[in-house]
């Protein structure tokens, strides 16, 4: 039985870190006999840093005669973006409210139409190794399919709705978007002759943020147009950031920058950059391996569907809910059946069957014969997938053989074949994975960039792309949610 103590380590780190912060403030008061004006412990889990050192720089940029007209036009456009964001977010919240009401039985009626609000962001992920959420799984999404009881807006919680391994990407992206948002308010206010009193950052629990302090009296004296620019500037900065990130990735600028820095673009496969320590593939799938096929889907084949690039097809195959695609079955001697009565007992709780023997797996007739001969067998999974001849009907096999494929009635339990080349090798190898394709996608991080030199960090491009994906997501979230009227 596995111990539950390791799961408490993040909590212990969290409590210990904040205990040290509080102890530091207590000792500072005892030694200095005063509290530092720039660093304030608001509560035991809330620390804030304030500075006035940036006031002059913001004022100088905002009042620069060279860019004065550009800034005025920029923030005037921000008013229209802020109003549009307010209308859009109000509509999304209205839809979410109807869904919640329907879920608890207050609202009844026909199912709402199916709309994927995340689809524009999936297009971005198609050109990167960023985080593009699976169709069914623990992914960070601002929007989900609007159908039945699916949520339009979903909270982003590390370890719950997004992988715990993405925590640092999450925090850095959130802090960057908050700073960019507040910088918009500060610059627009400076253009409106409302100087910034102070600015700063804070940490509340694990969530970072930023703030600016403006003079309410001077804001009240400003014209309506200038006040609108100040209010909408933060939202406009986030919208412009999202657009810039999207353009950077879609235009290939990010890949070109890495190519100049020493990385090579891989167009027909994906490069393994990280395998989670708890994954069953840890130690079996080497880092820097080049995966070029999942089941019978070649990642370099544009006609295979699932996306326009190899990285998009990798994501699509593993997160589409159906796993990979099998073009042919496997010839197996029916007499090798090892059915123990539990192997094919598959359910949502036991998607891989209930047999205690993990080596055997339930097989069924290949699709073309399944209607005529509904029968199942239990064979050694890895032996069948690695050594058996391929077939489309049993007539193509030897006498006594049947043409079968692994049975997979549940998306959370499938047998997948990964075809890859190990680092420094040209020989194709096959790896069998039995489990959830969505979990495989989360556990194995891949990239479309491969370092030309051994000393270059393997995971850097994927890390940057993932960070940019979070910046894009948070920028859109800031743009929408901050546009709501208070």
């Amino acid at each position: 039985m596995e111990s539950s103590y390791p799961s408490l380590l993040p909590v212990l780190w969290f409590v210990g870190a904040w205990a040290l912060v509080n102890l530091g403030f207590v000792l500072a008061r005892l030694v200095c006999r005063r509290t530092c004006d720039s660093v304030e412990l608001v509560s035991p889990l809330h620390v804030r840093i304030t500075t006035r050192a940036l006031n002059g720089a913001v004022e100088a940029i905002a009042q620069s005669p060279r860019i004065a007209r550009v800034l005025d036009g920029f923030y005037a456009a921000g008013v229209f973006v802020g109003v549009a964001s307010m209308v859009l977010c109000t509509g999304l919240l209205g839809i979410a409210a109807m869904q919640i009401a329907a879920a608890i039985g207050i609202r009844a009626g026909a199912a709402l139409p199916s709309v994927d609000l995340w689809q524009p962001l999936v297009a971005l992920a198609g050109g990167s190794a960023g985080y593009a959420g699976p169709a069914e799984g623990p992914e960070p999404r601002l929007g989900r399919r609007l159908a039945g009881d699916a949520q339009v807006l979903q909270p982003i919680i590390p370890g719950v709705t997004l992988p715990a391994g993405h925590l640092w990407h999450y925090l850095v992206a959130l802090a960057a978007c908050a700073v960019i948002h507040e910088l918009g308010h500060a610059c627009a206010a400076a253009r409106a002759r409302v100087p910034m009193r102070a600015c700063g950052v804070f940490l509340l629990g694990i969530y970072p943020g930023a703030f600016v302090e403006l003079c309410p009296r001077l804001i009240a004296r400003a014209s309506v147009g200038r006040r609108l620019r100040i209010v909408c500037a933060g939202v406009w900065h986030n919208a412009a950031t999202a657009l810039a990130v999207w353009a950077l990735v879609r235009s290939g600028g990010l890949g070109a920058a890495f190519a100049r820095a020493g990385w090579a673009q891989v167009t027909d496969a994906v490069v393994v950059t990280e395998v989670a320590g708890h994954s069953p593939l840890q130690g079996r799938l080497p880092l820097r391996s080049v995966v070029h096929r999942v089941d019978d889907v070649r990642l370099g084949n544009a006609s295979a569907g699932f996306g326009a690039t190899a990285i998009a097809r990798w994501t699509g195959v593993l997160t589409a809910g159906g796993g990979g695609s099998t073009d042919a079955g496997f010839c197996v001697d029916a007499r090798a059946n090892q059915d123990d009565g539990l192997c094919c007992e598959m359910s949502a709780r036991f998607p891989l069957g209930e047999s205690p023997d993990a080596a055997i797996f339930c097989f069924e007739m290949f699709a073309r014969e399944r209607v005529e001969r509904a029968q199942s067998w239990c064979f050694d999974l890895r032996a069948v997938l690695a050594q058996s001849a391929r077939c489309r009907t049993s007539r193509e096999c030897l006498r006594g053989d049947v043409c079968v494929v692994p049975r997979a009635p549940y998306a959370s339990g499938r047998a997948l074949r990964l075809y890859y080349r190990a680092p420094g090798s040209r020989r194709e190898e096959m790896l069998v994975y039995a489990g959830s394709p969505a979990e495989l996608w989360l556990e194995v991080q891949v990239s479309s960039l491969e370092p030309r030199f051994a000393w270059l960090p393997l995971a850097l491009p994927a890390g940057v792309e993932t960070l940019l994906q979070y910046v894009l997501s948070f920028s859109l979230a800031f743009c929408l949610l901050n546009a709501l009227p208070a």
Side-chain angles (χ1 to χ4, degrees):
M1 181 176 179
E2 294 184 0
S3 173
S4 60
Y5 287 109
S7 63
L8 297 177
L9 286 178
V11 177
L12 295 177
W13 275 105
F14 175 81
V15 173
W18 276 108
L20 290 176
V21 170
N22 283 264
L23 179 61
F25 271 88
V26 171
L27 294 177
R29 291 193 184 101
L30 293 176
V31 174
C32 302
R33 300 293 183 180
R34 64 185 181 88
T35 302
C36 181
D37 293 334
S38 61
V39 183
E40 178 185 3
L41 186 65
V42 181
S43 70
L45 297 178
H46 184 186
V47 62
R48 182 170 64 178
I49 301 175
T50 306
T51 181
R52 294 177 175 82
L54 300 177
N55 293 12
V58 172
E59 185 74 17
I61 294 174
Q63 298 300 333
S64 174
R66 295 183 178 180
I67 59 173
R69 291 186 179 182
V70 175
L71 289 179
D72 287 339
F74 180 78
Y75 289 118
V79 174
F80 294 98
V81 173
V83 173
S85 298
M86 180 180 66
V87 174
L88 177 60
C89 192
T90 302
L92 290 178
L93 290 179
I95 295 173
M98 288 191 296
Q99 289 182 326
I100 294 173
I104 61 177
I106 296 178
R107 174 181 170 84
L112 294 172
S114 177
V115 178
D116 192 350
L117 298 174
W118 188 254
Q119 191 60 35
L121 301 188
V122 174
L124 169 66
S128 70
Y131 191 89
E136 299 292 339
E139 74 282 8
R141 290 188 175 188
L142 300 178
R144 296 191 58 173
R145 265 185 315 134
L146 177 55
D149 59 353
Q151 295 179 334
V152 174
L153 300 177
Q154 180 174 346
I156 301 178
I157 306 172
V160 180
T161 58
L162 62 87
H166 287 185
L167 179 62
W168 289 111
H169 301 89
Y170 173 97
L171 296 178
V172 172
L174 182 59
C177 291
V179 170
I180 291 171
H181 180 91
E182 297 301 328
L183 182 61
H185 292 309
C187 290
R191 284 298 305 158
R193 303 293 179 180
V194 178
M196 181 175 66
R197 287 180 170 178
C199 63
V201 294
F202 65 84
L203 183 64
L204 179 60
I206 65 169
Y207 294 98
F211 63 92
V212 294
E213 295 179 3
L214 304 174
C215 179
R217 180 173 54 85
L218 294 179
I219 293 178
R221 289 182 179 180
S223 64
V224 175
R226 289 183 173 181
R227 276 184 283 171
L228 278 175
R229 293 182 184 184
I230 296 173
V231 171
C232 296
V235 167
W236 178 220
H237 268 218
N238 291 128
T241 301
L243 180 62
V245 170
W246 179 85
L248 175 65
V249 177
R250 290 293 292 180
S251 66
L254 183 63
F258 275 112
R260 293 179 181 178
W263 278 265
Q265 184 78 32
V266 179
T267 59
D268 61 346
V270 295
V271 181
V272 177
T273 61
E274 182 181 354
V275 179
H278 62 276
S279 172
L281 297 182
Q282 174 62 242
R284 299 173 58 201
L285 183 62
L287 297 183
R288 297 178 182 264
S289 294
V290 178
V291 180
H292 57 86
R293 184 151 62 105
V294 179
D295 282 346
D296 292 331
V297 177
R298 294 188 178 275
L299 301 182
N301 184 6
S303 62
F306 298 106
T309 64
I311 200 82
R313 285 186 279 275
W314 165 267
T315 298
V317 167
L318 297 182
T319 63
S325 173
T326 301
D327 296 336
F330 300 85
C331 291
V332 186
D333 187 346
R335 293 171 297 181
N337 184 22
Q338 304 179 38
D339 192 357
D340 58 359
L342 298 175
C343 170
C344 291
E345 293 296 322
M346 295 180 168
S347 62
R349 183 179 178 185
F350 300 101
L352 301 178
E354 298 185 33
S355 174
D357 187 354
I360 62 174
F361 199 86
C362 185
F363 285 77
E364 62 185 0
M365 279 290 184
F366 186 54
R368 300 188 180 185
E369 297 185 287
R370 197 173 300 159
V371 176
E372 301 176 1
R373 302 170 61 185
Q375 189 175 352
S376 59
W377 298 264
C378 293
F379 299 119
D380 186 301
L381 177 63
R382 287 170 175 78
V384 170
L385 299 186
Q387 303 171 11
S388 301
R390 304 301 299 274
C391 58
R392 285 181 171 81
T393 67
S394 296
R395 291 189 296 271
E396 298 178 4
C397 303
L398 299 175
R399 182 181 297 274
D401 286 6
V402 288
C403 186
V404 296
V405 291
R407 187 184 177 197
Y410 298 94
S412 58
R414 295 185 177 273
L416 296 176
R417 291 166 284 129
L418 300 181
Y419 295 88
Y420 70 96
R421 293 187 301 272
S425 173
R426 295 185 178 181
R427 184 170 62 92
E428 179 184 87
E429 300 183 47
M430 189 194 72
L431 190 62
V432 177
Y433 172 87
S436 167
E439 289 184 6
L440 170 62
W441 180 74
L442 292 173
E443 294 168 355
V444 179
Q445 300 298 312
V446 299
S447 175
S448 59
L449 295 168
E450 182 180 20
R452 294 191 182 98
F453 310 104
W455 52 268
L456 288 174
L458 177 64
L460 181 60
V464 172
E465 290 167 342
T466 302
L467 177 62
L468 289 178
Q469 190 72 14
Y470 278 116
V471 169
L472 173 63
S473 299
F474 283 131
S475 294
L476 293 177
F478 273 67
C479 182
L480 291 174
L481 299 181
N482 282 283
L484 287 174

